[in-house]
Amino acid sequence: MSLLADLVNLDLSDNTEKIIAEYIWVGGSGMDMRSKARTLSGPVTDPSKLPKWNYDGSSTGQAPGQDSEVILYPQAIFKDPFRRGNNILVMCDAYTPAGEPIPTNKRHAAAEIFNNPDVVAEVPWYGIEQEYTLLQKDVNWPLGWPIGGYPGPQGPYYCSIGADKSFGRDIVDAHYKACLYAGINISGINGEVMPGQWEFQVGPSVGISASDEIWIARYILERITEIAGVVVSFDPKPIPGDWNGAGAHTNYSTKSMREEGGYEVIKKAIEKLGLRHKEHIAAYGEGNERRLTGHHETADINTFLWGVANRGASIRVGRDTEKEGKGYFEDRRPSSNMDPYVVTSMIAETTLLWNP
Amino acid sequence: MAQILAASPTTCQMRVPKHSSVITNKLWSSVVLKQKKQSSNKHRGFRVLALQSDNSTVNRVETLLNLDTKPYSDRIIAEYIWIGGSGIDLRSKSRTLEKPVEDPSELPKWNYDGSSTGQAPGEDSEVILYPQAIFRDPFRGGNNILVICDTWTPAGEPIPTNKRARAAEIFSNQKVTDELPWFGIEQEYTLLQQNVKWPLGWPVGAFPGPQGPYYCGVGADKIWGRDISDAHYKACLYAGINISGTNGEVMPGQWEFQVGPSVGIDAGDHVWCARYLLERITEQAGVVLTLDPKPIEGDWNGAGCHTNYSTKSMREEGGFEVIKKAILNLSLRHKEHISAYGEGNERRLTGKHETASIDQFSWGVANRGCSIRVGRDTEAKGKGYLEDRRPASNMDPYIVTSLLAETTLLWEPTLEAEALAAQKLSLNV
């Protein structure tokens, strides 16, 4: 037993220059993460120095059997908190051998939007609040909940402590440090309103890096729950009834919004978002209609509503921002299973590139 | 007021010993082995909620929890702590700061969703957190911190459940600061088994033998939960809390720790942080903490939060007279104090089980059946302190400490009332 532990934690830097790179990509469902590892001859810090690779797309629903190779393009490097040393995690996106992004590759289009000079000039910042639910293995019932029954109603659980109120803190705290180690811009964590539900925040990050960081943070989270024998769910409404859903509120600002007179820019941006409500909602995550009911701190899915400090709105502007006349706003519509490449680039597109 | 002690931190049971960044194979294996030993000790008798997967033979979550991020990043994690809508529920969430912080004034204000804690309506939900005191985080180690906060509206008013603001005003009053009020608070608490909410160690559906053998006891048939009390002791010392002692209590499964002597508002901050550490520890141990003042009806002790109190004048020559005058003032405001000394106290202050009846004010030397007890030492030396035995275990220390200071230092009874009370209590002042 202890020999296995020694081997897993072996520090190779004394014996070899070689490192292990874990290539990570998003699979065919748009939500499942996949990864496999390869050896590199020495430490690497720049993604452009990493070799392209490929995988069996027919095993992830991303290619037919007779033409199964999907190519991995490395896009971002993070330190590996599980292997440590000089070993790395590599966020990749997926292309056909001919060099076209495959249909489930949402990063490519996002990168185009974020390279648009009008968007680059405005330095868009994102702060993403990723909520998720921990489930007991095999029964898929939330962690800490009695099997075949329910805990007491919501109220005592938000940011709580105590064995009767807070379930799974070890996972959350391990994830926090692992992300800091990896180089992810994780800005905070908290226990959520539904027991067994948690949230972490990533940001403020610029442009496409926000999404790379969220995907890697999700990857690290699921690796940790794997170790802990617990299941992580990004379903937006894991338990129907009088229980909160899980969202991925996306905070957003541009250079103009952060400067003097920014509040007017914010209001204009919100107006544009209101005119494209249907398009955004369609891209904000599967199953969101079960979550956006108008109850449980959400706005109804068919209504576009914005307000200051109003958690029942589609878009919330903080009191700070209103007072200072500049700042940022929070799009509360995206669900926990949203694709950050899609959401962040769409917000930038609607507010900076689109005109009604 | 920053509370970080200059002394080096006590190595806490929960933390892996620090190691340099150049790790040899041998050193790693010894660290990992030590971790495994530690975890097997911890698990004896405890349920760890984050279980080890059937497929993994190494507990890598523990490695991550104990990761020392200092070699890789200057950033620290700050856990902001506040009191929720019930006045006794503690809430917290964490954020990353760019570098270590020594003083609360360097910390940013923050906000939270008051509609989820019963402290604000949904359409206007932001409640602002003002950092007030810093302690070291014994769970995360390194330079990571715990921050005790109080709660304000965006307009800059304390919200109704914020009792610290008023206490801070009282403790800033010149008459109070001149007298340097010291507080020693004896926090009692009861440990319950999870799910059944019956005291730890008690047979489910039945009772243990009557009280007698348990107070400060030793032995598996008398003492239940020592690991929690001991872990809490070291965690508090590490954090910089002024914890002065612990003991097992009269009812089995009940414990006490003492914080003090602390000056002014520090007492409140330290007790709240100590309560936070205690409930985090019981959370890890799979045990439920209750601060209910009478957890089990019948011939079983309740849980209190006796508050020892002295001022500069009480501690100097002739102090005993000052103490008697203070007791006189307190006797005339008994009702006001009682109503602020904790919910449910009427189930505890019965006149039995080392309490005084809730309707009657009494005092005495070495008398545990009184509202206020003065120690034999104090009587003998003619100076010292008094012990207010009335507060319940679920009292708010901000309220109790500031009310004691207010009644004894800022409030004056009418002459007639004073004379009558002096007669009733046989106090010649």
Side-chain angles (χ1 to χ4, degrees), chain B residues 113-126:
Chain B
D113 173 12
S115 67
S116 289
T117 58
Q119 292 170 303
E123 333 72 55
D124 188 9
S125 59
E126 273 170 48

Side-chain angles (χ1 to χ4, degrees), chain B residues 204-218:
Chain B
V204 177
F207 294 81
Q211 294 183 154
Y214 310 113
Y215 171 72
C216 299
V218 175

Side-chain angles (χ1 to χ4, degrees), chain A residues 68-121:
Chain A
S68 62
E69 272 178 26
V70 178
I71 317 300
L72 289 169
Y73 288 28
Q75 299 292 358
I77 290 180
F78 298 88
K79 284 158 65 77
D80 185 338
F82 305 100
R83 297 195 174 104
R84 292 186 289 282
N86 288 319
N87 304 304
I88 54 176
L89 304 175
V90 185
M91 188 64 209
C92 306
D93 59 348
Y95 293 75
T96 65
E100 295 299 312
I102 65 171
T104 54
N105 177 351
K106 306 300 179 191
R107 191 186 193 283
H108 187 81
E112 274 176 14
I113 289 174
F114 282 118
N115 288 332
N116 184 309
D118 289 339
V119 174
V120 174

Side-chain angles (χ1 to χ4, degrees), chain A residues 4 10-11 155 158-159 162-163 165 169 173 176-177 186-190 193 227-228 297 309 311 316 319, chain B residues 23 25 51 53 57 65 67 91-96 113 116 122 124-126 140 154 194 279-280 283:
Chain A
L4 254 176
L10 211 50
D11 179 13
Y158 171 74
C159 296
K165 289 167 282 215
R169 188 187 300 275
D173 272 358
Y176 201 160
K177 281 195 175 177
I186 184 166
S187 40
I189 57 170
N190 62 270
V193 176
I227 297 171
E297 300 170 279
R311 280 181 156 80
R316 163 174 156 263
R319 287 220 172 275
Chain B
I23 305 159
N25 193 3
L51 303 165
S53 160
T57 47
L65 279 171
L67 200 55
R91 309 276 181 154
S92 75
K93 55 175 180 156
S94 15
R95 68 184 295 181
T96 308
D113 173 12
S116 289
D124 188 9
S125 59
E126 273 170 48
R140 295 197 175 107
Q194 213 180 2
E279 194 155 26
R280 282 289 304 271
E283 176 190 306

